Amino acid sequence: MKELTLTNLTAIFICFLTAQLQGQESWIDTSIHSGLIELKTDYPFKTLVSNDSIKTTAETLKNLNKAKLYFDKIFKIDLDFVVLFIGNQEWSKYAYFPPPGLPQAGNGNVILGLDKSVVSLEVEKLITQLPEHYWTSLKLVYGEDIDLDLFYRETLSIHELAHLYHFKEGTKPQRKWLQELFATMSMYSFIKEKLKSSYDLMNTYPEFVIQSGDRIAEFKTLKNFEDKYVQKLTPQNYEWFQMQFYKNAKSIIDSKNAEIVVKLKNFLIETDLSKTDILSDSELLTQLEKKVGKEVADILTNWKYK
């Protein structure tokens, strides 16, 4: 057997590095990048915008970078992804689904609004039609005019980034509510530990929705969520579900730590439906208790609506 020369070793290393880079590139859907402008930053991820009239991207990018550092460390991966800022008028051309401005993630891309989201505008309009004493607490956190993009973009962008750490290795979870819980637990853990200045931005609006009750929700069971995920639910009903997951995520992280987030991510990947059969609720309950924690399993048994 011939000895490996320096030249051979170099060639092997280059081949290995090329394969690694190709693997990273193949993970990111670049088909939606055409026509976008690259925004130069010092961050390790690429940022693309749909027009050059940049307004308020700086704080979002700074927080996404902090979140990447946090998630990379706990999930033990240097995740490659691209951030897209898309104007509402161009949303249908670049985003995966409506409504314009609402954060979303998939195929290595985090897609955020360059303008105020349509959802923020609609919710702000509805809220300010209520008697003022109902929304006084929101003014203290989101400003006199109640800018809910401080929640819908600055907070949910972290939720969407967290999704990518799961999607990199699996996109067919045993239950969609588990993948949403994972992203929310990840977001909550990061902001609580590393971005305390944004805690009220994250927490105040969900608390407002939770305290408002369930009148806005026609569908309330976990099975409803699985059957009607995103596009078959009204925005209000979908948000109602997300706030219930937030309530559970907050309780779990406050009583545990980020280790349970790692366990849930591993569970989502190990039980991905591309690798295993679908589990019954009783089987899922047993597996969650064993591999993740009773706190997550209890959501199945304690969910108020059956």
Side-chain angles (χ1 to χ4, degrees):
M1 182 177 177
K2 294 182 178 179
E3 290 186 11
L4 287 175
T5 64
L6 180 59
T7 302
N8 289 335
L9 285 170
T10 302
I12 291 170
F13 174 75
I14 290 172
C15 288
F16 173 77
L17 183 61
T18 301
Q20 290 293 97
L21 290 173
Q22 287 174 342
Q24 291 274 31
E25 289 172 359
S26 65
W27 139 250
I28 297 173
D29 173 16
T30 59
S31 67
I32 61 172
H33 295 177
S34 179
L36 296 176
I37 304 161
E38 183 170 359
L39 183 66
K40 298 299 182 182
T41 73
D42 294 327
Y43 301 126
F45 49 85
K46 183 182 289 188
T47 301
L48 303 173
V49 296
S50 61
N51 65 67
D52 56 7
S53 61
I54 306 304
K55 299 173 185 176
T56 56
T57 61
E59 190 69 16
T60 311
L61 289 172
K62 182 175 74 173
N63 292 342
L64 283 171
N65 186 57
K66 289 179 180 178
K68 172 179 165 54
L69 294 173
Y70 178 80
F71 293 147
D72 279 0
K73 183 177 180 180
I74 67 172
F75 297 133
K76 295 180 171 54
I77 179 175
D78 180 8
L79 188 72
D80 192 24
F81 60 89
V82 179
V83 178
L84 281 63
F85 283 97
I86 307 300
N88 287 351
Q89 290 187 335
E90 298 91 5
W91 194 259
S92 61
K93 181 179 178 181
Y94 295 104
Y96 293 121
F97 52 81
L102 188 67
Q104 57 187 254
N107 304 306
N109 293 303
V110 176
I111 305 175
L112 306 174
L114 195 57
D115 307 312
K116 175 170 273 199
S117 71
V118 170
V119 174
S120 292
L121 292 169
E122 288 298 317
V123 174
E124 289 164 12
K125 182 179 177 181
L126 288 171
I127 286 173
T128 52
Q129 289 174 352
L130 297 171
E132 187 171 353
H133 67 271
Y134 282 106
W135 38 275
T136 302
S137 63
L138 298 180
K139 291 173 68 174
L140 296 174
V141 175
Y142 304 109
E144 192 67 26
D145 295 328
I146 306 184
D147 180 7
L148 282 182
D149 254 13
L150 293 171
F151 171 79
Y152 280 109
R153 190 175 84 177
E154 302 309 321
T155 295
L156 294 189
S157 58
I158 307 300
H159 170 104
E160 295 303 324
L161 174 60
H163 271 311
L164 294 186
Y165 284 82
H166 163 217
F167 292 163
K168 180 69 168 66
E169 300 180 66
T171 56
K172 297 179 180 179
Q174 284 287 328
R175 301 290 191 276
K176 294 181 179 68
W177 68 263
L178 278 174
Q179 84 174 15
E180 295 304 323
L181 180 71
F182 162 76
T184 300
M185 285 170 60
S186 301
M187 172 193 75
Y188 186 89
S189 179
F190 162 68
I191 291 177
K192 182 184 178 184
E193 288 190 31
K194 301 296 183 181
L195 200 65
K196 293 180 174 64
S197 60
S198 292
Y199 185 88
D200 286 343
L201 296 180
M202 171 184 68
N203 189 64
T204 305
Y205 180 63
E207 291 291 342
F208 173 84
V209 175
I210 291 166
Q211 291 169 14
S212 299
D214 56 14
R215 287 169 297 177
I216 62 171
E218 178 183 0
F219 302 101
K220 303 181 184 74
T221 71
L222 289 175
K223 187 177 187 307
N224 288 156
F225 188 76
E226 297 303 308
D227 294 342
K228 300 178 180 296
Y229 184 63
V230 185
Q231 299 300 311
K232 294 180 182 179
L233 290 168
T234 64
Q236 293 85 359
N237 206 152
Y238 181 72
E239 179 171 83
W240 179 87
F241 273 110
Q242 289 287 13
M243 297 313 178
Q244 309 312 306
F245 301 146
Y246 175 83
K247 181 179 178 181
N248 282 281
K250 178 180 179 179
S251 175
I252 292 167
I253 298 299
D254 282 349
S255 66
K256 305 291 287 186
N257 55 43
E259 183 182 355
I260 197 168
V261 181
V262 177
K263 288 181 179 179
L264 180 53
K265 172 181 176 283
N266 293 339
F267 180 82
L268 286 168
I269 294 164
E270 289 168 6
T271 62
D272 192 89
L273 292 175
S274 65
K275 304 172 186 176
T276 63
D277 294 331
I278 192 165
L279 298 170
S280 67
D281 280 354
S282 61
E283 290 170 331
L284 180 63
L285 181 67
T286 300
Q287 291 294 313
L288 284 171
E289 285 184 348
K290 180 180 177 181
K291 297 182 178 180
V292 183
K294 189 175 184 299
E295 297 82 2
V296 174
D298 280 348
I299 295 174
L300 261 175
T301 53
N302 296 338
W303 191 261
K304 183 179 177 182
Y305 305 94
K306 304 297 182 183

